[in-house]
Amino acid sequence: MSNLILNGLANGILYGGGLALLAVGMNLIFGVLNVIHLAYGQCVMVALYAVYVFAVLLHLPLLVSCVIAVGISALLALLIHVAVVNPLLKAPLINQLLALAGVMIVLENIILAVFGSDYLGIQISFPVFAIGDVYIKISSLIPFGVGIATLALLWLFLNRTYTGLAIRAIVQDRDMAELMGVQTGRVYWVTFAIGGILAGVVAACFAPIYTVHPHFGAGFTLTAFVIVVLGGLGNLLGGSIAAFLIGVISQVTGVVFTSEIGEILVYAIFIIFILFRPQGLLGARVRT
Amino acid sequence: MLQVEGVSAGYGKFNILSHISIKVDDGTTVIMVGSNGAGKSTLLKAISGVVPPASGTIHFNGQRIDGCPPHRIVELGIALVPEGGRIFSELTVYENLKMGSYPSSARREFAGSLQQVFQLFPLLKDRKKQMAGSLSGGERQMLAIARALMTKPQLIMLDEPSSGLAPKIVAKVFEFVATIKAQGYSILMVEQNVLKAVGLAEYAYLLETGTLVYEGEKQEFLKNPKIRASYLGL
Amino acid sequence: MKRGTRLLYPAVLCGLFLFLLIAPFRLPLYGTHIFILIFIWSAVATAWSYMARFGVVSLGHGAVLGIGAYTTALLFNYYGVSPLIGMLIGGVLSVIYFAGIGYFCFRFGVIGHYFAVTTLVQVMMVYLLIIYFRDFSGGSLGLTVNSLGTNPLFFQFHSKTHFYFIALAFLLLTLYVWKKIHQSRIRRAMTAIDNDEAAAASIGIPIVKYKTMVTAISAFFTAIGGVIYAQYMMTLHPDVLSSVDASLGIAFKAILGGMYTLWGPFVGATLIIGLEEYFRVVHGATLIGWSVAAYGIVIIVLVIFFPKGLHGTLKEVLEKKRNE
């Protein structure tokens, strides 16, 4: 049993790494544009298919395929921003949500139409090494490293560049940022594109581990938002920590009980936090 | 330098301002006084581009600016210090100032502006790594003014800089304003605290329920019996 | 209005009314089936709009459908309780559950985006619970209602005609309730709350009470709709009732027609069910992905260009013309 739990723990940390990137993307998009990207999980799914197409169908090296997939993901994000999100920035909340739900449907079904509903996998075998009774797969460790590196790069961007500073300012006080000369329209699409890049990196991380199918990713969106709330809106460090917590909790619970219970537990945690501690574990960085 | 002509502005169908015309000459300090709801803040918002005027024109250095978006107006050299300062509380003092030099015209001169600001307000230099949210009311106002300076403006607009502050701090805030006035900036200040504000100004306007009811040079303003009765408590 | 147009409007209405009365006796079974679906879903969409028109957006109404339907079906299958009674129990349970969640959210100031996501989260939880208790509920294999043939006391009818009129009556009921809410103080209070919650609170409007009230009314009628649907189809499935897709589907139907008007949800439901059937019948299984993707694009386009919904926009245009 403890063996099972340990493996759940290990998987949870690695899963948490991917979730952390997603949560950061969701956090930025929500903080800057005040939009919940309901179709975010589907964007990851499309990027995964991109990796599949380039690596398996076109026989390009995995690394190259992943880089291309990140690019495609960024482009998809820009397309969604221009076509759907931007026109609805001032629209009522329900319209934004439903339009993004429409994007969910479009992405899932185009992929379904083109690739069918079979589970597709990128068959690459990486070595596995053991620490005691726990098996650690290199295929999980590399993505973990990539995830941390991406987060570090993002941190640098947000804290050392003017655009990053503008993003952090908008999250706190949009109007004041405008009065400082920030062109919010530009920052919006930059933020959305960053979200797309992060989704692409998540896909690259998940490619060696998961098999992909059109319904993949639907569950991630909600989990990512749960993490955003848990970590505190606008608080990227909090979000990262929350991601690992959620990753571990859901994987360990899933192993000890069933995967349904794992998911239900995550959602229950969300409801408790949204009611009693909406600023999350470490406090929100946004003036609500 | 700043010429506002016949501007009416408001939110939606309600015009808070009706046909206001004011001007600010280069290097002078102009104040606008009036009680709550008179429309003073709305005028500053109209000038800074946050609220587009429903009618009338605004010219800055001969260029027409009404209808321009806020970031364009900052680039042209008008900075607004809104009521309460509205500093970014989750950024450090240093980052707030850096945010001030976001406009491309100001960015190149960031180092120089920072030095100037630290000279004028040494307290900010000491606190530069501190979270802006932990500053006191008066210090926030100082930071807000300093941040406005970082945008390399020609005209600085202040919206009720003394509002919500204790009397001792109010005096300090007006000292800050005097400091930047001494540096040669043009200032347009909106205030309810007429007595202290008029002391700094060359010219004053009185706004009541959206229309200008009086304007004049400082001395005349202070001599006007109605103003003395209603606003100076004399 | 000219005299000609004054006569036109009631004439069209009468014609429509007659058509609806005769339809089930004249149309092929498939046609009647489509009407039943339209009636049920427009009623549910109308019930959804009781909340949504005031800015209380639920993206999880499927959970209510599920709780109402499953409660009734399980009580009947396992305990022989008539769905006529089970319906009321299911309705009450749904209200307690959904308005309960609503109450806590409203009390703790969970609004807007956060409320919408909370409703999404709760429908996922209900979905997962139904799957988890598969031995009892049938899980993802679904649940079949034990058939008694035609038995009005147990809300089972062999012929579609009965369900046609039941569904129609239910739709008219939900429309009537819409009108009642529209004319009541609930509407005035909720409009104030929607415009500016802080201001409404400061003039003494009990925010939590009114929000919970519309949520409860909405939940009750949605649950009944779920029961009627389950009894008509004689099967229940979490993907159809208590899923995110179903919840979003309800919202789509209301919004596309126009969730601020009386007939908006009906128009929207007709349009969407019509579209769904068209794509399914004409393009069928060969183009399944593309047709649903097209449906998604239609939704996006309609939401962007007709934010008040088709009926809502039409109403606006007509009113503008009338005022000229």
Side-chain angles (χ1 to χ4, degrees), chain C residues 170-188:
Chain C
F170 179 57
L171 169 61
L172 293 174
L173 175 62
T174 54
L175 290 172
Y176 176 72
V177 171
W178 191 99
K179 256 251 138 89
K180 282 311 245 182
I181 295 180
H182 192 70
Q183 290 162 347
S184 75
R185 65 182 198 276
I186 296 180
R187 173 198 171 203
R188 287 193 290 275

mmCIF file with all atom_site columns, all heavy atoms in Angstrom, chain C residues 170-188:
data_model
loop_
_atom_site.group_PDB
_atom_site.id
_atom_site.type_symbol
_atom_site.label_atom_id
_atom_site.label_alt_id
_atom_site.label_comp_id
_atom_site.label_asym_id
_atom_site.label_entity_id
_atom_site.label_seq_id
_atom_site.pdbx_PDB_ins_code
_atom_site.Cartn_x
_atom_site.Cartn_y
_atom_site.Cartn_z
_atom_site.occupancy
_atom_site.B_iso_or_equiv
_atom_site.pdbx_formal_charge
_atom_site.auth_seq_id
_atom_site.auth_comp_id
_atom_site.auth_asym_id
_atom_site.auth_atom_id
_atom_site.pdbx_PDB_model_num
ATOM 1   N N   . PHE C 1 170 ? -46.276 21.965 -19.627 1.00 0.00 ? 170 PHE C N   1
ATOM 2   C CA  . PHE C 1 170 ? -45.143 22.328 -18.770 1.00 0.00 ? 170 PHE C CA  1
ATOM 3   C C   . PHE C 1 170 ? -44.466 23.593 -19.283 1.00 0.00 ? 170 PHE C C   1
ATOM 4   O O   . PHE C 1 170 ? -44.129 24.504 -18.506 1.00 0.00 ? 170 PHE C O   1
ATOM 5   C CB  . PHE C 1 170 ? -44.152 21.151 -18.714 1.00 0.00 ? 170 PHE C CB  1
ATOM 6   C CG  . PHE C 1 170 ? -42.936 21.419 -17.877 1.00 0.00 ? 170 PHE C CG  1
ATOM 7   C CD1 . PHE C 1 170 ? -43.056 21.774 -16.541 1.00 0.00 ? 170 PHE C CD1 1
ATOM 8   C CD2 . PHE C 1 170 ? -41.656 21.319 -18.406 1.00 0.00 ? 170 PHE C CD2 1
ATOM 9   C CE1 . PHE C 1 170 ? -41.942 22.030 -15.754 1.00 0.00 ? 170 PHE C CE1 1
ATOM 10  C CE2 . PHE C 1 170 ? -40.536 21.571 -17.633 1.00 0.00 ? 170 PHE C CE2 1
ATOM 11  C CZ  . PHE C 1 170 ? -40.676 21.922 -16.307 1.00 0.00 ? 170 PHE C CZ  1
ATOM 12  N N   . LEU C 1 171 ? -44.294 23.668 -20.600 1.00 0.00 ? 171 LEU C N   1
ATOM 13  C CA  . LEU C 1 171 ? -43.683 24.866 -21.179 1.00 0.00 ? 171 LEU C CA  1
ATOM 14  C C   . LEU C 1 171 ? -44.523 26.085 -20.850 1.00 0.00 ? 171 LEU C C   1
ATOM 15  O O   . LEU C 1 171 ? -44.014 27.120 -20.403 1.00 0.00 ? 171 LEU C O   1
ATOM 16  C CB  . LEU C 1 171 ? -43.551 24.705 -22.703 1.00 0.00 ? 171 LEU C CB  1
ATOM 17  C CG  . LEU C 1 171 ? -43.161 25.976 -23.470 1.00 0.00 ? 171 LEU C CG  1
ATOM 18  C CD1 . LEU C 1 171 ? -41.798 26.480 -23.023 1.00 0.00 ? 171 LEU C CD1 1
ATOM 19  C CD2 . LEU C 1 171 ? -43.157 25.717 -24.973 1.00 0.00 ? 171 LEU C CD2 1
ATOM 20  N N   . LEU C 1 172 ? -45.849 25.970 -21.061 1.00 0.00 ? 172 LEU C N   1
ATOM 21  C CA  . LEU C 1 172 ? -46.722 27.103 -20.776 1.00 0.00 ? 172 LEU C CA  1
ATOM 22  C C   . LEU C 1 172 ? -46.624 27.485 -19.300 1.00 0.00 ? 172 LEU C C   1
ATOM 23  O O   . LEU C 1 172 ? -46.655 28.666 -18.948 1.00 0.00 ? 172 LEU C O   1
ATOM 24  C CB  . LEU C 1 172 ? -48.165 26.775 -21.177 1.00 0.00 ? 172 LEU C CB  1
ATOM 25  C CG  . LEU C 1 172 ? -48.367 26.623 -22.691 1.00 0.00 ? 172 LEU C CG  1
ATOM 26  C CD1 . LEU C 1 172 ? -49.774 26.147 -23.003 1.00 0.00 ? 172 LEU C CD1 1
ATOM 27  C CD2 . LEU C 1 172 ? -48.077 27.939 -23.408 1.00 0.00 ? 172 LEU C CD2 1
ATOM 28  N N   . LEU C 1 173 ? -46.499 26.484 -18.445 1.00 0.00 ? 173 LEU C N   1
ATOM 29  C CA  . LEU C 1 173 ? -46.370 26.764 -17.011 1.00 0.00 ? 173 LEU C CA  1
ATOM 30  C C   . LEU C 1 173 ? -45.113 27.583 -16.729 1.00 0.00 ? 173 LEU C C   1
ATOM 31  O O   . LEU C 1 173 ? -45.145 28.589 -16.018 1.00 0.00 ? 173 LEU C O   1
ATOM 32  C CB  . LEU C 1 173 ? -46.342 25.449 -16.217 1.00 0.00 ? 173 LEU C CB  1
ATOM 33  C CG  . LEU C 1 173 ? -46.099 25.596 -14.710 1.00 0.00 ? 173 LEU C CG  1
ATOM 34  C CD1 . LEU C 1 173 ? -47.207 26.390 -14.063 1.00 0.00 ? 173 LEU C CD1 1
ATOM 35  C CD2 . LEU C 1 173 ? -45.979 24.217 -14.065 1.00 0.00 ? 173 LEU C CD2 1
ATOM 36  N N   . THR C 1 174 ? -43.981 27.136 -17.306 1.00 0.00 ? 174 THR C N   1
ATOM 37  C CA  . THR C 1 174 ? -42.738 27.872 -17.042 1.00 0.00 ? 174 THR C CA  1
ATOM 38  C C   . THR C 1 174 ? -42.800 29.284 -17.622 1.00 0.00 ? 174 THR C C   1
ATOM 39  O O   . THR C 1 174 ? -42.252 30.221 -17.043 1.00 0.00 ? 174 THR C O   1
ATOM 40  C CB  . THR C 1 174 ? -41.498 27.153 -17.628 1.00 0.00 ? 174 THR C CB  1
ATOM 41  O OG1 . THR C 1 174 ? -41.717 26.897 -19.002 1.00 0.00 ? 174 THR C OG1 1
ATOM 42  C CG2 . THR C 1 174 ? -41.210 25.876 -16.882 1.00 0.00 ? 174 THR C CG2 1
ATOM 43  N N   . LEU C 1 175 ? -43.484 29.435 -18.757 1.00 0.00 ? 175 LEU C N   1
ATOM 44  C CA  . LEU C 1 175 ? -43.623 30.777 -19.329 1.00 0.00 ? 175 LEU C CA  1
ATOM 45  C C   . LEU C 1 175 ? -44.491 31.635 -18.418 1.00 0.00 ? 175 LEU C C   1
ATOM 46  O O   . LEU C 1 175 ? -44.218 32.812 -18.184 1.00 0.00 ? 175 LEU C O   1
ATOM 47  C CB  . LEU C 1 175 ? -44.251 30.698 -20.727 1.00 0.00 ? 175 LEU C CB  1
ATOM 48  C CG  . LEU C 1 175 ? -43.372 30.092 -21.811 1.00 0.00 ? 175 LEU C CG  1
ATOM 49  C CD1 . LEU C 1 175 ? -44.161 29.900 -23.089 1.00 0.00 ? 175 LEU C CD1 1
ATOM 50  C CD2 . LEU C 1 175 ? -42.166 30.975 -22.061 1.00 0.00 ? 175 LEU C CD2 1
ATOM 51  N N   . TYR C 1 176 ? -45.545 31.011 -17.861 1.00 0.00 ? 176 TYR C N   1
ATOM 52  C CA  . TYR C 1 176 ? -46.416 31.727 -16.944 1.00 0.00 ? 176 TYR C CA  1
ATOM 53  C C   . TYR C 1 176 ? -45.632 32.193 -15.715 1.00 0.00 ? 176 TYR C C   1
ATOM 54  O O   . TYR C 1 176 ? -45.754 33.337 -15.276 1.00 0.00 ? 176 TYR C O   1
ATOM 55  C CB  . TYR C 1 176 ? -47.582 30.817 -16.546 1.00 0.00 ? 176 TYR C CB  1
ATOM 56  C CG  . TYR C 1 176 ? -48.498 31.412 -15.517 1.00 0.00 ? 176 TYR C CG  1
ATOM 57  C CD1 . TYR C 1 176 ? -49.358 32.461 -15.832 1.00 0.00 ? 176 TYR C CD1 1
ATOM 58  C CD2 . TYR C 1 176 ? -48.486 30.936 -14.203 1.00 0.00 ? 176 TYR C CD2 1
ATOM 59  C CE1 . TYR C 1 176 ? -50.183 33.013 -14.886 1.00 0.00 ? 176 TYR C CE1 1
ATOM 60  C CE2 . TYR C 1 176 ? -49.316 31.482 -13.249 1.00 0.00 ? 176 TYR C CE2 1
ATOM 61  C CZ  . TYR C 1 176 ? -50.170 32.512 -13.594 1.00 0.00 ? 176 TYR C CZ  1
ATOM 62  O OH  . TYR C 1 176 ? -50.981 33.059 -12.630 1.00 0.00 ? 176 TYR C OH  1
ATOM 63  N N   . VAL C 1 177 ? -44.812 31.300 -15.182 1.00 0.00 ? 177 VAL C N   1
ATOM 64  C CA  . VAL C 1 177 ? -44.002 31.656 -14.020 1.00 0.00 ? 177 VAL C CA  1
ATOM 65  C C   . VAL C 1 177 ? -43.041 32.794 -14.381 1.00 0.00 ? 177 VAL C C   1
ATOM 66  O O   . VAL C 1 177 ? -42.808 33.708 -13.590 1.00 0.00 ? 177 VAL C O   1
ATOM 67  C CB  . VAL C 1 177 ? -43.227 30.417 -13.496 1.00 0.00 ? 177 VAL C CB  1
ATOM 68  C CG1 . VAL C 1 177 ? -42.222 30.820 -12.442 1.00 0.00 ? 177 VAL C CG1 1
ATOM 69  C CG2 . VAL C 1 177 ? -44.192 29.399 -12.939 1.00 0.00 ? 177 VAL C CG2 1
ATOM 70  N N   . TRP C 1 178 ? -42.504 32.752 -15.597 1.00 0.00 ? 178 TRP C N   1
ATOM 71  C CA  . TRP C 1 178 ? -41.619 33.835 -16.050 1.00 0.00 ? 178 TRP C CA  1
ATOM 72  C C   . TRP C 1 178 ? -42.359 35.157 -15.963 1.00 0.00 ? 178 TRP C C   1
ATOM 73  O O   . TRP C 1 178 ? -41.838 36.160 -15.460 1.00 0.00 ? 178 TRP C O   1
ATOM 74  C CB  . TRP C 1 178 ? -41.175 33.570 -17.494 1.00 0.00 ? 178 TRP C CB  1
ATOM 75  C CG  . TRP C 1 178 ? -40.071 34.465 -17.995 1.00 0.00 ? 178 TRP C CG  1
ATOM 76  C CD1 . TRP C 1 178 ? -38.738 34.169 -18.057 1.00 0.00 ? 178 TRP C CD1 1
ATOM 77  C CD2 . TRP C 1 178 ? -40.197 35.792 -18.535 1.00 0.00 ? 178 TRP C CD2 1
ATOM 78  N NE1 . TRP C 1 178 ? -38.026 35.218 -18.598 1.00 0.00 ? 178 TRP C NE1 1
ATOM 79  C CE2 . TRP C 1 178 ? -38.899 36.231 -18.901 1.00 0.00 ? 178 TRP C CE2 1
ATOM 80  C CE3 . TRP C 1 178 ? -41.268 36.655 -18.754 1.00 0.00 ? 178 TRP C CE3 1
ATOM 81  C CZ2 . TRP C 1 178 ? -38.656 37.485 -19.468 1.00 0.00 ? 178 TRP C CZ2 1
ATOM 82  C CZ3 . TRP C 1 178 ? -41.032 37.910 -19.310 1.00 0.00 ? 178 TRP C CZ3 1
ATOM 83  C CH2 . TRP C 1 178 ? -39.723 38.309 -19.654 1.00 0.00 ? 178 TRP C CH2 1
ATOM 84  N N   . LYS C 1 179 ? -43.575 35.143 -16.490 1.00 0.00 ? 179 LYS C N   1
ATOM 85  C CA  . LYS C 1 179 ? -44.371 36.367 -16.487 1.00 0.00 ? 179 LYS C CA  1
ATOM 86  C C   . LYS C 1 179 ? -44.633 36.839 -15.062 1.00 0.00 ? 179 LYS C C   1
ATOM 87  O O   . LYS C 1 179 ? -44.533 38.021 -14.752 1.00 0.00 ? 179 LYS C O   1
ATOM 88  C CB  . LYS C 1 179 ? -45.728 36.098 -17.169 1.00 0.00 ? 179 LYS C CB  1
ATOM 89  C CG  . LYS C 1 179 ? -45.847 36.651 -18.589 1.00 0.00 ? 179 LYS C CG  1
ATOM 90  C CD  . LYS C 1 179 ? -46.775 37.836 -18.692 1.00 0.00 ? 179 LYS C CD  1
ATOM 91  C CE  . LYS C 1 179 ? -46.199 38.915 -19.589 1.00 0.00 ? 179 LYS C CE  1
ATOM 92  N NZ  . LYS C 1 179 ? -46.532 38.780 -20.988 1.00 0.00 ? 179 LYS C NZ  1
ATOM 93  N N   . LYS C 1 180 ? -44.954 35.895 -14.201 1.00 0.00 ? 180 LYS C N   1
ATOM 94  C CA  . LYS C 1 180 ? -45.251 36.249 -12.815 1.00 0.00 ? 180 LYS C CA  1
ATOM 95  C C   . LYS C 1 180 ? -44.032 36.894 -12.150 1.00 0.00 ? 180 LYS C C   1
ATOM 96  O O   . LYS C 1 180 ? -44.162 37.877 -11.440 1.00 0.00 ? 180 LYS C O   1
ATOM 97  C CB  . LYS C 1 180 ? -45.673 35.008 -12.008 1.00 0.00 ? 180 LYS C CB  1
ATOM 98  C CG  . LYS C 1 180 ? -47.097 34.561 -12.262 1.00 0.00 ? 180 LYS C CG  1
ATOM 99  C CD  . LYS C 1 180 ? -48.068 35.672 -12.182 1.00 0.00 ? 180 LYS C CD  1
ATOM 100 C CE  . LYS C 1 180 ? -49.071 35.567 -11.063 1.00 0.00 ? 180 LYS C CE  1
ATOM 101 N NZ  . LYS C 1 180 ? -50.023 36.685 -11.093 1.00 0.00 ? 180 LYS C NZ  1
ATOM 102 N N   . ILE C 1 181 ? -42.877 36.282 -12.381 1.00 0.00 ? 181 ILE C N   1
ATOM 103 C CA  . ILE C 1 181 ? -41.657 36.847 -11.796 1.00 0.00 ? 181 ILE C CA  1
ATOM 104 C C   . ILE C 1 181 ? -41.422 38.238 -12.354 1.00 0.00 ? 181 ILE C C   1
ATOM 105 O O   . ILE C 1 181 ? -41.046 39.175 -11.645 1.00 0.00 ? 181 ILE C O   1
ATOM 106 C CB  . ILE C 1 181 ? -40.428 35.937 -12.075 1.00 0.00 ? 181 ILE C CB  1
ATOM 107 C CG1 . ILE C 1 181 ? -40.593 34.598 -11.383 1.00 0.00 ? 181 ILE C CG1 1
ATOM 108 C CG2 . ILE C 1 181 ? -39.146 36.616 -11.614 1.00 0.00 ? 181 ILE C CG2 1
ATOM 109 C CD1 . ILE C 1 181 ? -39.426 33.662 -11.621 1.00 0.00 ? 181 ILE C CD1 1
ATOM 110 N N   . HIS C 1 182 ? -41.652 38.356 -13.681 1.00 0.00 ? 182 HIS C N   1
ATOM 111 C CA  . HIS C 1 182 ? -41.401 39.618 -14.372 1.00 0.00 ? 182 HIS C CA  1
ATOM 112 C C   . HIS C 1 182 ? -42.255 40.737 -13.792 1.00 0.00 ? 182 HIS C C   1
ATOM 113 O O   . HIS C 1 182 ? -41.858 41.902 -13.797 1.00 0.00 ? 182 HIS C O   1
ATOM 114 C CB  . HIS C 1 182 ? -41.702 39.434 -15.859 1.00 0.00 ? 182 HIS C CB  1
ATOM 115 C CG  . HIS C 1 182 ? -41.225 40.549 -16.730 1.00 0.00 ? 182 HIS C CG  1
ATOM 116 N ND1 . HIS C 1 182 ? -39.881 40.768 -16.968 1.00 0.00 ? 182 HIS C ND1 1
ATOM 117 C CD2 . HIS C 1 182 ? -41.888 41.511 -17.406 1.00 0.00 ? 182 HIS C CD2 1
ATOM 118 C CE1 . HIS C 1 182 ? -39.749 41.802 -17.772 1.00 0.00 ? 182 HIS C CE1 1
ATOM 119 N NE2 . HIS C 1 182 ? -40.951 42.279 -18.050 1.00 0.00 ? 182 HIS C NE2 1
ATOM 120 N N   . GLN C 1 183 ? -43.454 40.385 -13.303 1.00 0.00 ? 183 GLN C N   1
ATOM 121 C CA  . GLN C 1 183 ? -44.344 41.424 -12.796 1.00 0.00 ? 183 GLN C CA  1
ATOM 122 C C   . GLN C 1 183 ? -44.240 41.615 -11.288 1.00 0.00 ? 183 GLN C C   1
ATOM 123 O O   . GLN C 1 183 ? -44.926 42.450 -10.727 1.00 0.00 ? 183 GLN C O   1
ATOM 124 C CB  . GLN C 1 183 ? -45.799 41.066 -13.145 1.00 0.00 ? 183 GLN C CB  1
ATOM 125 C CG  . GLN C 1 183 ? -46.092 41.190 -14.616 1.00 0.00 ? 183 GLN C CG  1
ATOM 126 C CD  . GLN C 1 183 ? -47.354 40.431 -15.006 1.00 0.00 ? 183 GLN C CD  1
ATOM 127 O OE1 . GLN C 1 183 ? -47.856 39.623 -14.224 1.00 0.00 ? 183 GLN C OE1 1
ATOM 128 N NE2 . GLN C 1 183 ? -47.852 40.681 -16.194 1.00 0.00 ? 183 GLN C NE2 1
ATOM 129 N N   . SER C 1 184 ? -43.385 40.827 -10.660 1.00 0.00 ? 184 SER C N   1
ATOM 130 C CA  . SER C 1 184 ? -43.370 40.845 -9.199  1.00 0.00 ? 184 SER C CA  1
ATOM 131 C C   . SER C 1 184 ? -42.231 41.711 -8.680  1.00 0.00 ? 184 SER C C   1
ATOM 132 O O   . SER C 1 184 ? -41.398 42.207 -9.420  1.00 0.00 ? 184 SER C O   1
ATOM 133 C CB  . SER C 1 184 ? -43.191 39.429 -8.678  1.00 0.00 ? 184 SER C CB  1
ATOM 134 O OG  . SER C 1 184 ? -41.849 39.059 -8.875  1.00 0.00 ? 184 SER C OG  1
ATOM 135 N N   . ARG C 1 185 ? -42.198 41.835 -7.350  1.00 0.00 ? 185 ARG C N   1
ATOM 136 C CA  . ARG C 1 185 ? -41.145 42.629 -6.734  1.00 0.00 ? 185 ARG C CA  1
ATOM 137 C C   . ARG C 1 185 ? -39.792 41.927 -6.836  1.00 0.00 ? 185 ARG C C   1
ATOM 138 O O   . ARG C 1 185 ? -38.746 42.547 -6.695  1.00 0.00 ? 185 ARG C O   1
ATOM 139 C CB  . ARG C 1 185 ? -41.486 42.914 -5.267  1.00 0.00 ? 185 ARG C CB  1
ATOM 140 C CG  . ARG C 1 185 ? -41.515 41.680 -4.406  1.00 0.00 ? 185 ARG C CG  1
ATOM 141 C CD  . ARG C 1 185 ? -41.902 42.056 -2.976  1.00 0.00 ? 185 ARG C CD  1
ATOM 142 N NE  . ARG C 1 185 ? -41.530 41.005 -2.048  1.00 0.00 ? 185 ARG C NE  1
ATOM 143 C CZ  . ARG C 1 185 ? -42.278 39.930 -1.811  1.00 0.00 ? 185 ARG C CZ  1
ATOM 144 N NH1 . ARG C 1 185 ? -43.418 39.767 -2.421  1.00 0.00 ? 185 ARG C NH1 1
ATOM 145 N NH2 . ARG C 1 185 ? -41.870 39.012 -0.962  1.00 0.00 ? 185 ARG C NH2 1
ATOM 146 N N   . ILE C 1 186 ? -39.853 40.610 -7.119  1.00 0.00 ? 186 ILE C N   1
ATOM 147 C CA  . ILE C 1 186 ? -38.595 39.879 -7.293  1.00 0.00 ? 186 ILE C CA  1
ATOM 148 C C   . ILE C 1 186 ? -37.802 40.511 -8.434  1.00 0.00 ? 186 ILE C C   1
ATOM 149 O O   . ILE C 1 186 ? -36.593 40.734 -8.335  1.00 0.00 ? 186 ILE C O   1
ATOM 150 C CB  . ILE C 1 186 ? -38.841 38.388 -7.612  1.00 0.00 ? 186 ILE C CB  1
ATOM 151 C CG1 . ILE C 1 186 ? -39.536 37.700 -6.446  1.00 0.00 ? 186 ILE C CG1 1
ATOM 152 C CG2 . ILE C 1 186 ? -37.526 37.680 -7.926  1.00 0.00 ? 186 ILE C CG2 1
ATOM 153 C CD1 . ILE C 1 186 ? -39.808 36.230 -6.704  1.00 0.00 ? 186 ILE C CD1 1
ATOM 154 N N   . ARG C 1 187 ? -38.526 40.817 -9.503  1.00 0.00 ? 187 ARG C N   1
ATOM 155 C CA  . ARG C 1 187 ? -37.832 41.378 -10.649 1.00 0.00 ? 187 ARG C CA  1
ATOM 156 C C   . ARG C 1 187 ? -37.220 42.733 -10.331 1.00 0.00 ? 187 ARG C C   1
ATOM 157 O O   . ARG C 1 187 ? -36.082 43.020 -10.666 1.00 0.00 ? 187 ARG C O   1
ATOM 158 C CB  . ARG C 1 187 ? -38.777 41.498 -11.828 1.00 0.00 ? 187 ARG C CB  1
ATOM 159 C CG  . ARG C 1 187 ? -38.131 42.238 -12.980 1.00 0.00 ? 187 ARG C CG  1
ATOM 160 C CD  . ARG C 1 187 ? -39.143 42.701 -13.895 1.00 0.00 ? 187 ARG C CD  1
ATOM 161 N NE  . ARG C 1 187 ? -38.631 43.601 -14.912 1.00 0.00 ? 187 ARG C NE  1
ATOM 162 C CZ  . ARG C 1 187 ? -39.392 44.453 -15.528 1.00 0.00 ? 187 ARG C CZ  1
ATOM 163 N NH1 . ARG C 1 187 ? -40.662 44.510 -15.198 1.00 0.00 ? 187 ARG C NH1 1
ATOM 164 N NH2 . ARG C 1 187 ? -38.898 45.232 -16.459 1.00 0.00 ? 187 ARG C NH2 1
ATOM 165 N N   . ARG C 1 188 ? -37.978 43.570 -9.638  1.00 0.00 ? 188 ARG C N   1
ATOM 166 C CA  . ARG C 1 188 ? -37.451 44.895 -9.329  1.00 0.00 ? 188 ARG C CA  1
ATOM 167 C C   . ARG C 1 188 ? -36.224 44.786 -8.434  1.00 0.00 ? 188 ARG C C   1
ATOM 168 O O   . ARG C 1 188 ? -35.211 45.438 -8.648  1.00 0.00 ? 188 ARG C O   1
ATOM 169 C CB  . ARG C 1 188 ? -38.528 45.752 -8.648  1.00 0.00 ? 188 ARG C CB  1
ATOM 170 C CG  . ARG C 1 188 ? -39.606 46.195 -9.614  1.00 0.00 ? 188 ARG C CG  1
ATOM 171 C CD  . ARG C 1 188 ? -40.468 47.279 -9.007  1.00 0.00 ? 188 ARG C CD  1
ATOM 172 N NE  . ARG C 1 188 ? -41.321 46.787 -7.935  1.00 0.00 ? 188 ARG C NE  1
ATOM 173 C CZ  . ARG C 1 188 ? -42.506 46.238 -8.135  1.00 0.00 ? 188 ARG C CZ  1
ATOM 174 N NH1 . ARG C 1 188 ? -42.977 46.121 -9.349  1.00 0.00 ? 188 ARG C NH1 1
ATOM 175 N NH2 . ARG C 1 188 ? -43.229 45.817 -7.120  1.00 0.00 ? 188 ARG C NH2 1
#
